[in-house]
Amino acid sequence: MILLYLITPALIMFFISFSHHIYLRRILPITNLMVLIPTLYLFSLGKPYAIIGEYLVATNLNSYILLISSIVAIGVTLALITLNKHVKIDNRSYIKFYRFFALFWIGLILSIMSNNMGIYWIGLEMATLSTVYMIKTNKSKQASKEAWNYMIVGAIAISLILFGIILIYASAKPILGEEAMNFALLKEHIHEIKNPFLFELGFVIVSVGMFIKMGFFPMNLWLANIERASFYPVGALFSGILESAILIGFFQFSMIAMQIDKEATFSFVFIYLFLTISLVSFLIFRSKDFMRLFSLSGVEHMVLIILFWVSGGYFPALLHFGAHAFLKPALFLSTGVLESQGRYKIAGALKGYHGFEGKTFWFIVGFFILAIVSLPPSPMFFSEIYGFSAMITLAKETDSLLWMILAITILLLILSIIFYKFIEIYQSMKYEGEEVEKIVYKSELLAFLLFAVATIGLIMPQTITYLKAIHG
Amino acid sequence: MIDFFIGLFMASFLIVLFSGRLYRLIFWYAFNSLALGVITILVGVEHIDNALVISGGLTLILKAGVIPFVLKNISQRFNLIREINPTVPIHYSIILIPAIIIFTLYLAEPMSSMIGVNSNYIAISISSFFLALILMIEHKSVAPKIIAFLMMENALFLLGTTATKGMPMFVELGIFFDVMMAIVIINLLFKEEHVK
């Protein structure tokens, strides 16, 4: 029954998308608010709570991720109301965007709540396919090319994930039968597996598939190009919800893999992440437009989330995850307003906002940009402090303390390049360029306020206590 | 009997890599799916697994029948270019493809020995997966890439059938649903481009 309540807002959106009365979209943020009722209700239940048998199970981890995704979805529907004021979109494409957004959301609810690898994959595939059409709502030649690109590369990534799942299933089926797809059961019986090699191979293939989907090495520009070509809410949905679903999958698989061989899992993931962040920092330094900048910065933050997670820093990983999931969609949505005077005009982008709404907008965007570069008291500042200390703690256990200190130093150097670039951009936005009057709409402002409040909510003592209680 | 159909499954993969015509590609995809459907039914009968027999039947109806028909229909309706020469010259492919097969068979050997049952089939399904990737890479136009995606899915289905004696029924049904959804999206994408 809870599942029905969870997907009801998405179903309402889906059915409304068949109506030609485009103004109906205005009620969607209100109907979407309904998703908070079952989501918050999940927090009051004892965990693990079976939503549908052993297939969909609410845990502390996925309830938190679902809450974050729900808030992002509400924010995106708020900002979507004025999409046609910022970009050229016909009514037909507009209502279809909502239709595929609804399918995307249903797929991701299934993925996030799943306790079964098969259902996880089905939900992820459903969301991936729905996104293809959302990219295509932009009628430009570039968007068309990128939609096909996403279809093909996304298909490769998702196929690799399925390939890995089959190998993991094959490794555990002799002892667990059809229940080998069950994450919780697999975690419990992992040491009974006769062929851990097969599991590890499956894990590596699943991880590579997930890393491709998240735009990691060597596919760093893949996601950035797609987000650049599509309308700005697509980037928000990618970074706020789709990537959350991929990350929760990685959390589940890596928790099991670390039980088999923690050191090997860490080494493999660390090398991959290190290559990614080195390349991404260079690309961020060279980026000349908002969309690519935010997209590449999203990759950087996902690298950090995964790095903290595999280091055993579950609390910093989840805190960083929450902050990334709120700040990045907020920044993507703000590009709709920031780019109203031309796509690549960074100089003066934060000038020309008058009145209460305008001034609130530049204040909030300034807050988002400074929070994303981890300036205190941003949740990202705390997560990075805790995350790096988790890496040191791990190194002490494995007698490689000096190597870890060296790695952290290099990472900090890389992060400082990104920090410098963002500050430079912020200064250019605020103090350079001409002042041209720009409009911010109330619904957008409401969405930004929602993201700002949610980000602040992450550093509330109750949230921190909750996150510290989650152990993967 | 299964060996015979596995051979046909692999052979259809090799043929599509050298095909230069779209309809031929669709035909060989249908043939590949037919072989896959029969293999799944035979494995299901051998292990007395009704779920596998049902998913084999669904493969025959959907992948060997409905999807090729829809794909042909799409290509006619939207006037897709039918001449689709691979970008990798054939004389290079002749060297490259056997090399990939040998490499993947070698790669799959430790895995096959661990799974035990149907070890050669696992190696063939992994080879097929890589061959589908090659098919995707060697063409510039979208239509062959879509066929490659569908054939990649076939290779994974074969891996699931042979390595695990079939995945749970609801997962297989979910995969069918996703493949059908992919076809709907592909149709929509072509339609949008045609309207434009």
Side-chain angles (χ1 to χ4, degrees):
Chain A
M1 200 63 181
I2 287 185
L3 180 68
L4 187 66
Y5 290 132
L6 283 172
I7 63 170
T8 298
L11 288 176
I12 293 172
M13 195 191 292
F14 183 74
F15 290 118
I16 280 182
S17 76
F18 285 97
S19 161
H20 291 285
H21 301 294
I22 194 76
Y23 58 83
L24 277 175
R25 70 187 187 277
R26 288 180 193 159
I27 65 163
L28 291 175
I30 301 158
T31 56
N32 272 1
L33 266 177
M34 282 162 44
V35 77
L36 288 180
I37 302 167
T39 308
L40 290 172
Y41 177 66
L42 284 176
F43 282 84
S44 67
L45 299 169
K47 305 286 177 0
Y49 176 79
I51 297 172
I52 299 183
E54 288 291 307
Y55 302 117
L56 299 182
V57 175
T59 59
N60 286 331
L61 176 67
N62 64 16
S63 301
Y64 167 70
I65 290 175
L66 184 67
L67 178 65
I68 284 177
S69 303
S70 303
I71 293 170
V72 174
I74 295 163
V76 172
T77 29
L78 270 167
L80 263 176
I81 295 175
T82 51
L83 176 67
N84 55 347
K85 311 264 187 204
H86 297 293
V87 297
K88 204 176 153 193
I89 182 169
D90 56 81
N91 277 358
R92 207 173 128 265
S93 302
Y94 207 168
I95 56 174
K96 274 194 180 169
F97 190 97
Y98 278 103
R99 192 172 307 160
F100 284 94
F101 177 17
L103 289 174
F104 168 84
W105 199 7
I106 294 171
L108 288 178
I109 288 173
L110 286 178
S111 268
I112 292 170
M113 302 314 287
S114 73
N115 181 38
N116 184 290
M117 289 179 227
I119 296 177
Y120 171 76
W121 184 86
I122 292 164
L124 204 59
E125 168 84 327
M126 192 173 160
T128 304
L129 293 171
S130 321
T131 326
V132 175
Y133 194 80
M134 286 197 275
I135 299 165
K136 191 76 177 79
T137 45
N138 187 347
K139 302 288 177 203
S140 70
K141 205 177 165 188
Q142 188 63 22
S144 172
K145 183 180 159 265
E146 293 302 340
W148 283 114
N149 197 6
Y150 185 75
M151 175 90 201
I152 304 301
V153 183
I156 294 174
I158 209 90
S159 299
L160 282 172
I161 296 174
L162 182 61
F163 187 2
I165 287 175
I166 293 170
L167 292 182
I168 291 173
Y169 181 61
S171 74
K173 200 178 177 185
I175 53 155
L176 294 173
E178 286 208 345
E179 294 300 312
M181 284 247 169
N182 183 315
F183 278 122
L185 212 61
L186 187 57
K187 198 171 154 188
E188 213 174 294
H189 295 274
I190 194 67
H191 293 296
E192 294 163 32
I193 285 182
K194 286 173 191 142
N195 294 314
F197 167 75
L198 207 54
F199 177 89
E200 285 173 327
L201 194 67
F203 169 71
V204 168
I205 295 171
V206 164
S207 303
V208 171
M210 288 178 171
F211 292 164
I212 289 175
K213 266 192 93 64
M214 288 191 279
F216 285 12
F217 178 82
M219 309 293 286
N220 299 90
L221 276 171
W222 170 64
L223 216 53
N225 288 343
I226 288 165
E227 286 170 345
R228 172 71 278 174
S230 44
F231 289 142
Y232 58 89
V234 173
L237 290 174
F238 265 39
S239 57
I241 309 183
L242 183 62
E243 283 159 6
S244 304
I246 302 167
L247 279 172
I248 194 174
F250 182 82
F251 291 165
Q252 303 260 40
F253 285 110
S254 61
M255 282 303 289
I256 305 169
M258 281 194 285
Q259 281 195 34
I260 294 180
D261 192 341
K262 195 174 178 177
E263 208 170 319
T265 307
F266 178 81
S267 307
F268 157 68
V269 176
F270 183 80
I271 291 166
Y272 210 111
L273 299 182
F274 201 78
L275 283 169
T276 304
I277 202 163
S278 307
L279 199 60
V280 159
S281 65
F282 171 73
L283 293 170
I284 287 178
F285 192 74
R286 302 260 305 155
S287 67
K288 290 180 180 68
D289 71 287
F290 291 115
M291 216 49 129
R292 279 204 175 82
L293 181 75
F294 297 150
S295 182
L296 291 165
S297 153
V299 175
E300 171 223 337
H301 288 293
M302 282 183 292
V303 163
L304 291 178
I305 294 165
I306 294 177
L307 186 58
F308 297 157
W309 184 267
V310 293
S311 307
Y314 304 124
F315 161 65
L318 292 172
L319 185 63
H320 205 92
F321 167 85
H324 164 73
F326 291 139
L327 292 170
K328 215 37 74 68
L331 285 169
F332 273 116
L333 293 176
S334 69
T335 55
V337 185
L338 292 171
E339 293 192 335
S340 38
Q341 294 303 317
R343 279 188 162 181
Y344 301 102
K345 276 189 186 167
I346 286 177
L350 270 183
K351 280 178 167 183
Y353 297 101
H354 301 295
F356 173 75
E357 282 155 19
K359 281 176 183 166
T360 315
F361 173 75
W362 80 248
F363 176 77
I364 292 182
V365 171
F367 164 78
F368 289 147
I369 290 178
L370 298 177
I372 207 81
V373 289
S374 314
L375 271 190
S378 161
M380 285 189 167
F381 170 77
F382 297 110
S383 60
E384 283 175 17
I385 297 275
Y386 279 104
F388 288 127
S389 61
M391 287 169 75
I392 296 284
T393 312
L394 180 77
K396 280 181 188 164
E397 288 169 17
T398 54
D399 295 330
S400 48
L401 188 61
L402 279 175
W403 283 112
M404 190 60 92
I405 289 171
L406 180 70
I408 290 174
T409 311
I410 297 171
L411 273 175
L412 287 173
L413 273 170
I414 289 170
L415 291 179
S416 66
I417 295 170
I418 298 169
F419 180 85
Y420 165 76
K421 181 70 183 177
F422 266 86
I423 296 297
E424 188 204 10
I425 280 178
Y426 177 72
Q427 286 184 329
S428 174
M429 285 162 81
K430 192 74 196 84
Y431 304 111
E432 290 172 10
E434 291 170 20
E435 187 171 321
V436 185
E437 194 163 342
K438 295 159 200 162
I439 304 166
V440 187
Y441 296 94
K442 281 194 179 72
S443 57
E444 291 162 356
L445 205 58
L446 213 58
F448 297 138
L449 280 171
L450 175 73
F451 288 125
V453 170
T455 309
I456 294 165
L458 285 172
I459 44 171
M460 291 291 116
Q462 293 87 341
T463 318
I464 287 175
T465 313
Y466 183 83
L467 292 182
K468 280 186 173 172
I470 302 175
H471 294 291
Chain B
M1 193 67 167
I2 297 175
D3 291 350
F4 173 71
F5 281 98
I6 285 271
L8 288 181
F9 181 87
M10 188 70 175
S12 55
F13 255 100
L14 295 174
I15 295 166
V16 291
L17 286 163
F18 297 102
S19 290
R21 306 288 299 174
L22 184 60
Y23 283 1
R24 228 177 290 163
L25 216 64
I26 295 173
F27 170 77
W28 286 112
Y29 164 69
F31 187 82
N32 182 267
S33 304
L34 180 88
L36 177 68
V38 175
I39 292 163
T40 313
I41 291 172
L42 290 174
V43 173
V45 170
E46 195 182 305
H47 296 290
I48 317 161
D49 186 341
N50 289 337
L52 265 183
V53 176
I54 294 168
S55 67
L58 278 171
T59 306
L60 288 179
I61 297 164
L62 293 175
K63 292 184 183 171
V66 177
I67 293 177
F69 175 76
V70 174
L71 285 176
K72 194 173 177 189
N73 191 277
I74 287 173
S75 69
Q76 282 172 342
R77 207 151 34 109
F78 303 117
N79 296 322
L80 299 186
I81 301 162
R82 291 196 210 160
E83 205 174 319
I84 39 147
N85 290 320
T87 49
V88 180
I90 288 178
H91 51 276
Y92 288 141
S93 295
I94 289 169
I95 302 165
L96 184 71
I97 292 163
I100 288 169
I101 295 172
I102 292 164
F103 171 71
T104 48
L105 285 173
Y106 173 75
L107 192 78
E109 210 207 326
M111 236 186 294
S112 309
S113 60
M114 274 171 207
I115 294 170
V117 285
N118 307 326
S119 56
N120 292 333
Y121 305 162
I122 293 155
I124 287 173
S125 49
I126 293 171
S127 298
S128 307
F129 179 80
F130 282 95
L131 292 180
L133 275 174
I134 292 289
L135 180 64
M136 205 176 260
I137 293 163
E138 74 169 10
H139 285 280
K140 272 189 174 169
S141 48
V142 174
K145 285 184 191 286
I146 293 166
I147 309 260
F149 159 62
L150 294 168
M151 292 190 85
M152 195 188 286
E153 205 272 327
N154 275 2
L156 289 176
F157 198 91
L158 181 68
L159 181 68
T161 306
T162 51
T164 68
K165 291 182 214 154
M167 288 189 288
M169 190 63 191
F170 68 92
V171 176
E172 287 186 359
L173 288 177
I175 295 170
F176 277 121
F177 169 75
D178 280 337
V179 171
M180 293 313 284
M181 194 175 153
I183 295 296
V184 171
I185 302 266
I186 287 162
N187 187 25
L188 271 172
L189 287 181
F190 277 121
K191 206 172 156 187
E192 287 286 324
E193 286 191 359
H194 196 65
V195 167
K196 199 168 68 176

